[in-house]
Amino acid sequence: MPSDAPRSGRYSVFAIAREALRQHSGWKRAWASPEPRGRYKVIVIGAGGHGLATAYYLGRNFGITDVAVLEKGWLGGGNTGRNTTIIRSNYLQDPSAALYEKARSLYETLSQELNYNIMFSPRGLIMLAQTEHEVRGYRRTVHANNLQGVATEWIEPARVKELVPIINLDGPRYPVLGGLYQARGGTARHDAVAWGYARACSDMGMHIIQNCEVIGIETECGQVRAVNTSKGRIGCEKLAIVVAGHSSQLAEMAGFRLPIESVALQALVSEPIKPCMDVVVMANTVHGYMSQSDKGEMVIGGGTDGFNNFTQRGSWHHVEETVRALIETFPMISRLKMLRQWGGIVDMTGDRSPILSATPVGGIFVNCGWGTGGFKAIPGSGWAMAELIAKGTPGPLAAEFGLNRFREGRFIDESVAAGVAH
Amino acid sequence: MLILTCPYCGVQAEETELHPGGEAHLKRVGPDGSDEDFEAYLFARKNPKGVHFERWRHAYGCGKWFLAARCTASLQVFGTYKAQNPYPPAEIVDAIRAHRPDWQPDWTVQHAQAESPAE
Ligand SMILES: Cc1cc2nc3c(=O)[nH]c(=O)nc-3n(C[C@H](O)[C@H](O)[C@H](O)COP(=O)(O)OP(=O)(O)OC[C@H]3O[C@@H](n4cnc5c(N)ncnc54)[C@H](O)[C@@H]3O)c2cc1C
Ligand SMILES: [Zn+2]
C-alpha cells in the first residue's frame, strides 16, 4: 500500500537527546491527518481504543492496511479518554477470562510493541469482599481463574491491610472480609493507548480521519457498499462499527437493532497528594473504586445511571453515593478536594459482556457492549475483531461473543463478577 | 437532577425517589411468536438519541409504575402518563411536536385508537 503518511520516526533515548540539542524542533506529528480517499477495503467507524486496535491488528496480523478509521470528534475523545484505566482479567466465565487475559497480557509489552509509552503499571488490584455473599463469589472466581490460567488469589483482611495501609477494615457497615487479588492487574495511560495505536496505524499507511461523522450506511442486496459522512461518501468492502455508546444509532443506519442501552457513567479525580496507595482497590458492594494516578490524584469511579442518556453528564447523587462509600473505606480521603468530574456514555448489554459479531448485513461487523469495563480489553478486542473481519468468521477469542447468543440463550453472565463499573 | 411528575399521586418526584425501568410499550410475545419476535421483545432496544418513551416506578412514593417521554440527548422531559396507555396519548405527542417538529411517531393512529384504554 503506498503511503502518504509522514513517518513519525522512532522514539528512543537517542531521539530525546538529539531533540534536546535542537530545541525539540525535529519531532514530527505522531499521525497524519489526510483527506479521505473514495474507497477503502475496510472502514472502521470510531477512533476509540477498540476501533484503533482493530485497525492496528488488521495490519499487523493480516497485512490489511487499506484501512480508514473514521472519527466524528477527536481520536480517543470518547470513553477511551474518559475512563479510570483499570486493567484486570479476573472474570468468572471462561470466554471472558480468555479475552480479557489476552488483552492484559498484550498490555504487558504494548509499549515496546508500539514504541510508545502507554505507562502500563501492573501495580496489583484488589476487589474487596464486604459481604459473606461476596466472599463466596470471589473464592469461586479465584478457583475459576486458577483453572483458566489467570493468576489471582484470595487474600485475608490482614494482607489487604498490608497492601493498602490507608484502608479501614472495620466497616462499620461493610467490614472488609478479604479480597480477590490480581497481582498483575493495574492501570495504563488511556490517551497513550489511543495515541500509540493511532501512530502505529498511520505509520502502516492507514488513514485516521477525525471530524468525520458517519451519518448513513449504504447497503445493496444485504451487503454494505459505502458510508455517508460529513466529508462525503466513502466506499468500502467491509465495515466495522466500533462506537460504544452510539452503537444503536449506527446499527439503525444499517437497518438492524442491537441489545444495547446507552447510559452515563461518571468518574472524578481529587487534588494531587503524596503517594499513599500503590494498588487499585475496588469495592463493589458499596459501588466505588479508587486508584492513585502517577500525578498523585486519587482517581475515583462508581456506578452508572439507570436511564438512557447521551449527554456525557451523569446524575449528582451517584457521585455522592460513591464518595460516601469510599470515605467509609478510606477515612483519610474525607478532606480531599475533588478537582474534576466527567461522564461517558457506555453501551450496556443484558449479560454485561461485549459483542464481537457479524451482523444481519453482509460485510458489517460490530464491536460494542464493553459498557463500563472495556478499556482493559482494548488490545485483546482489537486482536479478536481483526481476525473476525479478515476471515469473516470469528476465531476462538470472539466465537462466544456473537449476537446470536441472545437468541440462543448462551449468555456470558458477568453481572455478578462485574457488578460495578470499572 | 431529573424531576418527573408521577401521574398517579401528582408528586413532583426527583430522581432518587424513582426507579428507572427501561423502554416502554414493549409488546409481549405470545406462544405463537417466532424466535425473532421473542428475541426482539427480550433484548433488542431502540435506545434512541432523542425522544424516548420509558418506564419509571415511583419507588419511594406511591410505588406505581408510570411512563415518561423524555429526550435522551438533552434530558428534556415532555411529560408523564399512566402505564395503562398502550401508546403515548395525544397530549404527550403534541408536547413532543411542540419542541421537536421533525419527530415522527413510530406507531400508527389506528393502533393507538384500537388499543386505547377503556377508562
Ligand atoms: C467514567 C468511565 C470510567 C471507566 N472506567 C473503566 C476502567 O477503569 N477500566 C476499564 O476497563 N474500562 C472502563 N471504562 C469503560 C471504557 O472506557 C470503555 O469500555 C472503552 O473505552 C470503550 O472504547 P471504545 O473504543 O469502544 O469506545 P470510545 O472510546 O467511546 O470510542 C468510540 C468512538 O466512536 C466515535 N463515534 C460515535 N459515533 C460516531 C459516528 N457516527 N461517526 C464517527 N465516529 C463516531 C466517538 O466519537 C468515539 O470516539 C470506563 C468508562 C467510563 C465512561
Ligand atoms: Zn406516585
Side-chain angles (χ1 to χ4, degrees):
Chain A
M1 196 44 353
S3 163
D4 41 11
R7 304 290 155 127
S8 56
R10 215 183 143 68
Y11 296 157
S12 66
V13 66
F14 303 108
I16 293 173
R18 187 188 64 225
E19 292 304 326
L21 293 174
R22 53 179 192 192
Q23 270 84 41
H24 294 281
S25 57
W27 296 117
K28 298 210 183 74
R29 285 188 177 274
W31 55 84
S33 297
E35 284 305 308
R37 282 200 298 269
R39 185 177 173 78
Y40 297 87
K41 187 174 167 70
V42 179
I43 288 178
V44 178
I45 309 175
H50 289 267
L52 291 164
T54 298
Y56 174 74
Y57 293 108
L58 273 170
R60 179 195 186 272
N61 293 352
F62 299 96
I64 301 173
T65 55
D66 183 9
V67 176
V69 185
L70 310 182
E71 166 57 50
K72 72 172 173 180
W74 66 95
L75 72 87
N79 294 343
T80 297
R82 292 165 186 270
N83 75 88
T84 48
T85 76
I86 295 176
I87 295 172
R88 61 184 182 89
S89 58
N90 55 354
Y91 283 72
L92 179 63
Q93 310 293 349
D94 292 349
S96 331
L99 185 54
Y100 288 99
E101 177 59 15
K102 173 74 182 175
R104 201 206 56 77
S105 63
L106 287 169
Y107 265 128
E108 295 258 6
T109 52
L110 197 59
S111 294
Q112 291 84 339
E113 158 116 19
L114 297 178
N115 177 233
Y116 201 95
N117 187 1
I118 60 135
M119 299 166 73
F120 178 56
S121 163
R123 58 183 67 182
L125 173 141
I126 305 174
M127 289 164 84
L128 300 178
Q130 291 176 288
T131 62
E132 286 299 333
H133 180 82
E134 257 182 324
V135 172
R136 281 198 296 274
Y138 288 154
R139 282 182 183 279
R140 179 181 175 210
T141 304
V142 169
H143 292 313
N145 289 161
N146 288 347
L147 292 170
Q148 291 150 348
V150 176
T152 65
E153 60 184 300
W154 169 258
I155 56 174
E156 297 296 333
R159 176 90 174 113
V160 174
K161 183 77 184 172
E162 205 177 288
L163 289 164
V164 194
I166 67 169
I167 206 166
N168 170 25
L169 293 179
D170 311 325
R173 184 158 173 208
Y174 293 110
V176 174
L177 305 171
L180 166 57
Y181 181 49
Q182 182 167 26
R184 297 299 289 178
T187 60
R189 170 92 201 274
H190 50 13
D191 296 323
V193 172
W195 297 339
Y197 276 123
R199 172 169 169 266
C201 288
S202 185
D203 278 356
M204 283 191 275
M206 296 179 182
H207 282 183
I208 298 161
I209 302 161
Q210 303 182 72
N211 296 313
C212 180
E213 178 170 5
V214 173
I215 49 181
I217 294 175
E218 213 179 288
T219 60
E220 196 185 305
C221 307
Q223 190 69 30
V224 65
R225 287 281 169 259
V227 293
N228 289 306
T229 77
S230 51
K231 294 192 183 227
R233 180 184 182 278
I234 311 175
C236 65
E237 196 177 303
K238 293 180 179 181
L239 180 67
I241 299 175
V242 197
V243 294
H246 285 80
S247 299
S248 304
Q249 280 61 48
L250 272 297
E252 193 187 358
M253 290 176 203
F256 58 94
R257 280 203 286 166
L258 289 170
I260 294 273
E261 300 208 65
S262 301
V263 298
L265 174 65
Q266 303 174 82
L268 54 160
V269 294
S270 75
E271 59 192 324
I273 54 173
K274 288 193 173 164
C276 67
M277 193 176 84
D278 61 359
V279 288
V280 180
V281 179
M282 305 176 62
N284 293 355
T285 292
V286 297
H287 277 271
Y289 57 90
M290 192 165 83
S291 64
Q292 188 167 24
S293 76
D294 294 336
K295 283 184 284 183
E297 302 157 328
M298 303 312 284
V299 182
I300 294 176
T304 55
D305 288 353
F307 55 87
N308 301 49
N309 185 353
F310 286 83
T311 64
Q312 294 192 333
R313 188 167 84 215
S315 296
W316 170 250
H317 69 95
H318 273 119
V319 175
E320 208 177 2
E321 272 166 26
T322 300
V323 169
R324 194 164 58 209
L326 288 176
I327 287 173
E328 293 290 327
T329 317
F330 306 99
M332 66 158 261
I333 69 166
S334 70
R335 300 267 168 151
L336 279 187
K337 291 181 192 70
M338 293 299 148
L339 285 194
R340 295 189 304 281
Q341 170 272 348
W342 65 91
I345 300 304
V346 295
D347 39 338
M348 305 296 280
T349 57
D351 60 359
R352 299 294 181 260
S353 285
I355 297 167
L356 293 105
S357 185
T359 68
V361 182
I364 300 187
F365 302 87
V366 285
N367 178 339
C368 62
W370 294 99
T372 60
F375 174 71
K376 62 178 68 63
I378 285 171
S381 157
W383 186 285
M385 190 67 185
E387 184 172 10
L388 172 62
I389 295 168
K391 297 183 178 162
T393 51
L397 282 176
E400 302 292 322
F401 293 95
L403 269 172
N404 50 7
R405 76 173 186 267
F406 295 94
R407 180 172 311 175
E408 294 165 7
R410 289 182 294 100
F411 308 115
I412 305 167
D413 186 1
E414 291 293 353
S415 54
V416 181
V420 79
H422 41 82
Chain B
M1 176 73 59
L2 183 63
I3 297 174
L4 299 175
T5 304
C6 173
Y8 296 103
C9 62
V11 167
Q12 286 204 336
E14 60 97 339
E15 209 180 317
T16 58
E17 242 179 277
L18 300 165
H19 183 79
E23 187 174 321
H25 303 300
L26 296 174
K27 298 283 176 282
R28 188 182 279 274
V29 176
D32 49 351
S34 65
D35 282 359
E36 286 77 13
D37 293 340
F38 200 59
E39 181 193 12
Y41 163 64
L42 285 176
F43 301 109
R45 292 295 174 261
K46 289 177 189 152
N47 192 26
K49 186 173 182 175
V51 178
H52 191 225
F53 300 100
E54 56 196 17
R55 304 165 70 230
W56 286 87
R57 194 166 90 89
H58 194 188
Y60 295 104
C62 67
K64 289 189 176 152
W65 283 100
F66 64 90
L67 308 179
R70 196 176 57 87
C71 176
T72 61
S74 68
L75 303 187
Q76 181 178 6
V77 176
F78 302 111
T80 55
Y81 51 103
K82 294 183 178 175
Q84 285 78 1
N85 292 284
Y87 292 92
E91 332 63 278
I92 296 286
V93 171
D94 293 344
I96 298 169
R97 278 274 168 73
H99 297 280
R100 302 278 186 282
D102 296 339
W103 174 80
Q104 294 293 337
D106 60 0
W107 67 92
T108 61
V109 184
Q110 286 89 328
H111 273 140
Q113 279 164 355
E115 293 183 43
S116 66
E119 282 217 53

